[in-house]
Amino acid sequence: MGSVNKVSLRAEFVGLKGQFEELCARGRISAESRALFQALLTLFEVLMALFMEKSTPKNSRNASVPPSQTPKDDETASQPGTQSKGKNYDPVHARHTRTVETVAIAPLTACANCGADLSATPCQGHERRTRIDILFEKVVSHVDAEIKSCPRCRALTKGTFPAELSGPLHYGTAIKAFVLHLLVSQMVALKRVQQTLATLIEQILSEATLLKWVLQLHHALAEWERTAIDQLLTQPTLHVDETSLRVERKNHWIHVCSGADITLKFLHPKRGQEAITAINIIPRYGGTIIHDCWASYLSYTQCRHGLCGAHLLRELTFVVESNAYPWAKNLKRLLKNTRAKVAERQSKQLTQLEYKNLRKRYRTILTQGAKQLPPLPPRKKGSRGRVAKSDAHNLWERFKHYEDAVLLFAKLPHVPFTNNRAERDLRMSKVKQKVSGCFRTREYAEAYCRISSYLQTMANRGYNPLVAIQMALSGQLYAEGGA
């Protein structure tokens, strides 16, 4: 038994099945024995398929298991294109610092070789060495309102303070932006933000003050969110996905909708169609939504659907590793070759003839797969519920039923092959949960979703997060074109 593995087990089964079919063709087996052995072979094939799937571990390479729960994959680092440099740096929208630059001259008065006086000799050039440092500066601005006594009626009159100074102590938008950047973008814990401020300005701010700033920005972005939703509904493609988030010790869900340079996240206690209806973006959308073939998304028929090719390739990899079905290997090769062909084209699509040939090859592979998969056992009379199927059979049915959605990336230039955009937009939410553990109230969880949506959108447009936050707090968002 030590030498038995998936390959040898499959080869042994194919050999026995071939011998049985040969004996049947020669008439060496009776009809009763043939029916009995045929039933046993069918049962063994189903059990073998299930055993191979159960004995094959799932990881981030062959299933939708997060990388944090799988061993390190040494192959990923060597793949071309994995070490992306990101978007080009835009100094206009990213500028947030004041640079104080000085130039000092190191005079030369004597020759290092003979000692001659060089004070009157003209300079032929310079060699520069530079030092960059940071000096944290706390700016304190006082406004003293004059108090005068009227010589006629003896009444005391006090000068008028600026509108932004409604109380004895206020903090400027720069320090608010710095705090919100640490809390939302950098996901620093609340207590550590307090400690950081105490180090910089030698003053401890209460948690209530910091959380008040979070809600202040949350309410200031309400109009921006409504405008972003209207812009998102006009995009040709929409990436959607969801992930869990702990709020008030209960499991909630963050739903993301991304298109062009806009990213929007919404919190809801439910994951399914109830949440999608409450958010009310997909029900009003008429373009193409890219997702991972979740049934709640597929229930909306007013829009087109594109399935994430990365999910499909991972599941095909699992089927190949577990059962070595030729149809899965051929279909995986077909999708990868088509993806490479589309990516290198300037038009980002196949011609009509190429797409017709692609569908023909696609259907041929699925027809071959129907013969390679074990037959489903007949439903027992009076039984209820779904018939139990293997992962390979479920995946084959998905390719069969959603052919147009699987191949849509090769037909329309604006449809991508994967749903990585939505995956990336949600990834940092899991880091936030790992740092915070759990949001105490739903109000602050919703504030995190809206603020992080805004910061991600502005980052896509090249804005520095500190500049973007100050624009929202000061009311300059629409004046500066940030919407």
Side-chain angles (χ1 to χ4, degrees):
M1 294 298 294
S3 62
V4 176
N5 54 41
K6 299 173 185 177
V7 179
S8 63
L9 186 62
R10 173 67 66 179
E12 185 69 21
F13 174 78
V14 172
L16 291 175
K17 189 175 181 180
Q19 294 178 15
F20 171 73
E21 292 176 351
E22 182 181 355
L23 291 175
C24 291
R26 293 163 54 185
R28 302 292 297 273
I29 299 179
S30 63
E32 294 81 1
S33 300
R34 183 184 306 174
L36 176 61
F37 277 100
Q38 187 66 48
L40 289 176
L41 285 175
T42 300
L43 177 60
F44 181 77
E45 190 171 3
V46 173
L47 292 177
M48 185 174 61
L50 294 176
F51 165 75
M52 289 183 173
E53 289 181 355
K54 295 297 182 182
S55 60
T56 302
K58 290 187 176 182
N59 49 50
S60 59
R61 187 174 56 86
N62 60 15
S64 298
V65 178
S68 60
Q69 300 179 14
T70 62
K72 182 180 179 180
D73 186 4
D74 296 331
E75 297 180 359
T76 57
S78 61
Q79 293 177 357
T82 55
Q83 305 298 330
S84 175
K85 295 182 179 180
K87 296 185 177 181
N88 295 330
Y89 178 76
D90 186 358
V92 176
H93 294 155
R95 184 177 294 116
H96 182 67
T97 58
R98 181 178 65 232
T99 302
V100 179
E101 186 173 357
T102 60
V103 178
I105 301 297
L108 179 62
T109 58
C111 178
N113 186 30
C114 63
D117 185 16
L118 300 179
S119 301
T121 304
C123 179
Q124 298 179 356
H126 294 86
E127 178 185 348
R128 173 168 292 183
R129 296 185 180 182
T130 304
R131 176 178 59 197
I132 298 178
D133 204 351
I134 296 178
L135 176 63
F136 296 101
E137 181 182 30
K138 180 172 69 172
V139 179
V140 180
S141 302
H142 301 284
V143 176
D144 295 333
E146 293 182 337
I147 302 176
K148 296 183 179 180
S149 177
C150 178
R152 179 185 300 177
C153 63
R154 303 298 181 182
L156 292 177
T157 304
K158 183 173 62 175
T160 304
F161 287 100
E164 64 271 13
L165 296 180
S166 57
L169 178 62
H170 285 265
Y171 296 97
T173 57
I175 191 171
K176 292 180 181 180
F178 179 67
V179 168
L180 293 170
H181 173 61
L182 292 179
L183 288 174
V184 181
S185 298
Q186 302 302 322
M187 292 158 290
V188 182
L190 199 61
K191 187 174 183 60
R192 294 183 63 186
V193 173
Q194 288 181 292
Q195 296 171 349
T196 302
L197 287 177
T199 303
L200 295 179
I201 65 175
E202 298 179 347
Q203 191 169 348
I204 299 177
L205 278 69
S206 66
E207 288 188 5
T209 299
L210 304 185
L211 293 176
K212 182 181 69 175
W213 294 347
V214 173
L215 294 182
Q216 180 182 352
L217 181 58
H218 171 59
H219 297 309
L221 292 175
E223 180 61 28
W224 170 86
E225 185 179 76
R226 287 190 289 269
T227 304
I229 291 175
D230 294 337
Q231 295 176 353
L232 197 61
L233 291 173
T234 63
Q235 301 302 322
T237 56
L238 184 66
H239 294 261
V240 294
D241 201 1
E242 72 289 329
T243 190
S244 59
L245 187 72
R246 297 288 294 176
V247 180
E248 297 176 343
R249 299 184 180 181
K250 296 180 181 179
N251 205 27
H252 286 58
W253 296 88
I254 294 182
H255 297 256
V256 65
C257 299
S258 304
D261 56 4
I262 302 173
T263 297
L264 291 176
K265 303 174 188 175
F266 304 93
L267 184 74
H268 199 275
K270 301 293 183 180
R271 183 190 183 190
Q273 200 163 355
E274 178 182 344
I276 298 175
T277 303
I279 295 171
N280 199 26
I281 290 182
I282 296 179
R284 295 186 291 157
Y285 184 68
T288 303
I289 60 174
I290 313 299
H291 55 86
D292 53 4
C293 199
W294 193 34
S296 297
Y297 297 136
L298 292 169
S299 62
Y300 293 93
T301 58
Q302 86 284 353
C303 56
R304 305 184 75 167
H305 297 268
L307 299 188
C308 176
H311 283 77
L312 298 175
L313 290 178
R314 286 197 296 264
E315 295 185 63
L316 286 171
T317 300
F318 175 75
V319 172
V320 172
E321 292 179 351
S322 61
N323 283 285
Y325 287 125
W327 73 268
K329 186 176 181 180
N330 294 334
L331 190 54
K332 179 181 177 181
R333 184 187 302 113
L334 177 64
L335 291 177
K336 293 180 69 174
N337 292 340
T338 306
R339 175 190 62 181
K341 183 183 295 185
V342 171
E344 66 185 10
R345 296 265 180 98
Q346 187 174 4
S347 61
K348 300 303 179 184
Q349 63 182 141
L350 300 181
T351 63
Q352 292 185 358
L353 180 59
E354 289 175 331
Y355 184 76
K356 183 179 179 180
N357 294 333
L358 172 65
R359 293 183 63 178
K360 184 177 180 180
R361 294 177 58 191
Y362 181 90
R363 293 174 179 177
T364 301
I365 293 175
L366 292 183
T367 302
Q368 296 171 352
K371 301 176 182 179
Q372 298 166 12
L373 291 171
L376 295 176
R379 180 189 293 273
K380 295 182 180 180
K381 189 175 182 179
S383 61
R384 302 173 61 184
R386 297 180 179 178
V387 178
K389 303 175 185 177
S390 64
D391 290 347
H393 209 117
N394 288 327
L395 182 60
W396 180 89
E397 288 186 349
R398 192 186 312 168
F399 279 109
K400 184 71 173 179
H401 295 159
Y402 303 111
E403 174 186 320
D404 292 337
V406 172
L407 302 179
L408 193 61
F409 76 96
K411 186 177 182 180
L412 300 180
H414 58 270
V415 175
F417 180 71
T418 70
N419 194 31
N420 286 346
R421 167 67 188 277
E423 301 273 353
R424 291 194 304 266
D425 290 339
L426 282 178
R427 190 167 298 150
M428 300 312 293
S429 302
K430 307 304 291 184
V431 180
K432 176 65 175 177
Q433 179 176 264
K434 192 171 184 179
V435 173
S436 303
C438 177
F439 282 90
R440 298 175 185 176
T441 63
R442 181 174 175 177
E443 183 180 22
Y444 289 105
E446 292 176 343
Y448 165 76
C449 291
R450 180 179 292 175
I451 295 173
S452 61
S453 300
Y454 169 72
L455 293 179
Q456 182 63 55
T457 301
M458 299 301 282
N460 294 337
R461 298 171 179 175
Y463 280 84
N464 184 297
L466 299 177
V467 174
I469 295 174
Q470 290 190 69
M471 289 168 58
L473 292 175
S474 60
Q476 299 177 358
L477 180 59
Y478 296 99
E480 296 289 339

